[in-house]
Amino acid sequence: MARSTSLVKVSALQMVSSSDLAVNLLRAEELIAEAANGGAKLAVLPENFALFGSKRIFDLAVQEAASGDLQSQLAHLAAKYKLTLVAGTIPTPAPDGRVYATSFVYGPDGCCLGQYRKMHLFDADVADAQGSYRESDSYAPGDDVVVLETPLGRIGVGVCYDLRFPELFRQMFELKADIVVLPSAFTRSTGWAHWLPLLRARAIENQCLVVAANQGGVHDAKRQTSVSAQ
């Protein structure tokens, strides 16, 4: 990393999240604790780590706007385990009735360092059991390229389908990013074909460290995500 003279351990936390918020949060804490006990100073949760494949995202977005309960829990975890936490994505309300896929980043003192709203939405036909994905039906796109000052240097934040747009990453490095994080939920078929090649491409073309945390397993009869975090 550009701002450090010593090596820093980072952890990409892979999950197989479900529609059960409590179970997902318990698993997230287990992984964060394991990362911290192993010496990690940065932990990255995957996209949709708290709720996967559930229309409850709208209820959770309203709840977060009202009370920020989940955000408070995530801040607590960052402080408890004394690491910088990239909290995957959680839904937050958009003005048009949809939600944003929002990634909050917390410092080791529990303070929120900032947030990023996923810009590029996954509307695609895929040769799998689900067949068609129309993320824009439920999610609104964010507008801003985000690079945050953290104890580990300047971190650029992207989410999943953003990986396919190299211009976004170029803009992060124009903003002096030292490292890029990428919470994701790539489908299994697109993941096998594109996940690792595109991660390597973004790292090589920008000469940077990319920490990417993916969902990885069978979620239900129609949804299967890729198999590795990097």
Side-chain angles (χ1 to χ4, degrees):
M1 291 173 56
R3 299 204 175 183
S4 177
T5 57
S6 60
L7 293 177
V8 174
K9 183 174 284 190
V10 302
S11 290
L13 307 179
Q14 187 170 52
M15 295 179 64
V16 188
S17 297
S18 69
S19 59
D20 190 320
L21 178 62
V23 170
N24 294 335
L25 290 178
L26 180 62
R27 180 57 178 155
E29 180 167 5
E30 290 172 348
L31 291 171
I32 293 167
E34 183 179 341
N37 290 337
K41 298 302 181 184
L42 170 67
V44 183
L45 286 165
E47 184 181 22
N48 299 328
F49 81 94
L51 278 179
F52 192 96
S54 171
K55 289 297 183 183
R56 288 179 58 210
I57 59 171
F58 297 101
D59 295 334
L60 182 56
V62 171
Q63 173 187 312
E64 284 305 293
S67 67
D69 245 11
L70 180 52
Q71 293 168 59
S72 295
Q73 292 179 62
L74 293 166
H76 170 73
L77 291 176
K80 178 178 179 179
Y81 295 104
K82 296 180 174 56
L83 44 66
T84 298
L85 176 63
V86 180
T89 64
I90 65 172
T92 59
D96 63 4
R98 293 181 293 175
V99 299
Y100 294 116
T102 304
S103 185
F104 290 92
V105 180
Y106 299 92
D109 58 358
C111 287
C112 182
L113 302 176
Q115 61 180 275
Y116 167 73
R117 293 166 173 168
K118 182 178 181 179
M119 294 176 68
H120 300 97
L121 302 177
F122 186 49
D123 288 359
D125 296 324
V126 177
D128 64 9
Q130 179 143 322
S132 180
Y133 297 81
R134 295 293 179 267
E135 200 168 47
S136 62
D137 287 348
S138 300
Y139 288 89
D143 297 316
D144 298 324
V145 180
V146 171
V147 176
L148 301 172
E149 195 72 49
T150 80
L152 305 175
R154 290 177 61 80
I155 292 182
V157 188
V159 173
C160 200
Y161 199 55
D162 286 334
L163 180 61
R164 297 182 181 274
F165 297 86
E167 295 84 0
L168 172 61
F169 296 85
R170 288 291 188 193
Q171 290 180 67
M172 290 181 192
F173 285 93
E174 288 174 4
L175 294 172
K176 309 300 184 185
D178 297 312
I179 182 173
V180 168
V181 294
L182 200 81
S184 299
F186 258 70
T187 70
R188 185 175 177 84
S189 57
T190 60
W192 274 117
H194 303 140
W195 171 248
L196 288 178
L198 287 174
L199 287 175
R200 289 173 179 144
R202 299 296 86 86
I204 291 167
E205 68 199 6
N206 293 296
Q207 290 295 287
C208 70
L209 176 65
V210 176
V211 184
N214 202 29
Q215 294 279 350
V218 177
H219 302 269
D220 57 41
K222 289 188 174 181
R223 291 299 305 272
Q224 188 170 3
T225 46
S226 197
V227 292
S228 65
Q230 294 293 318

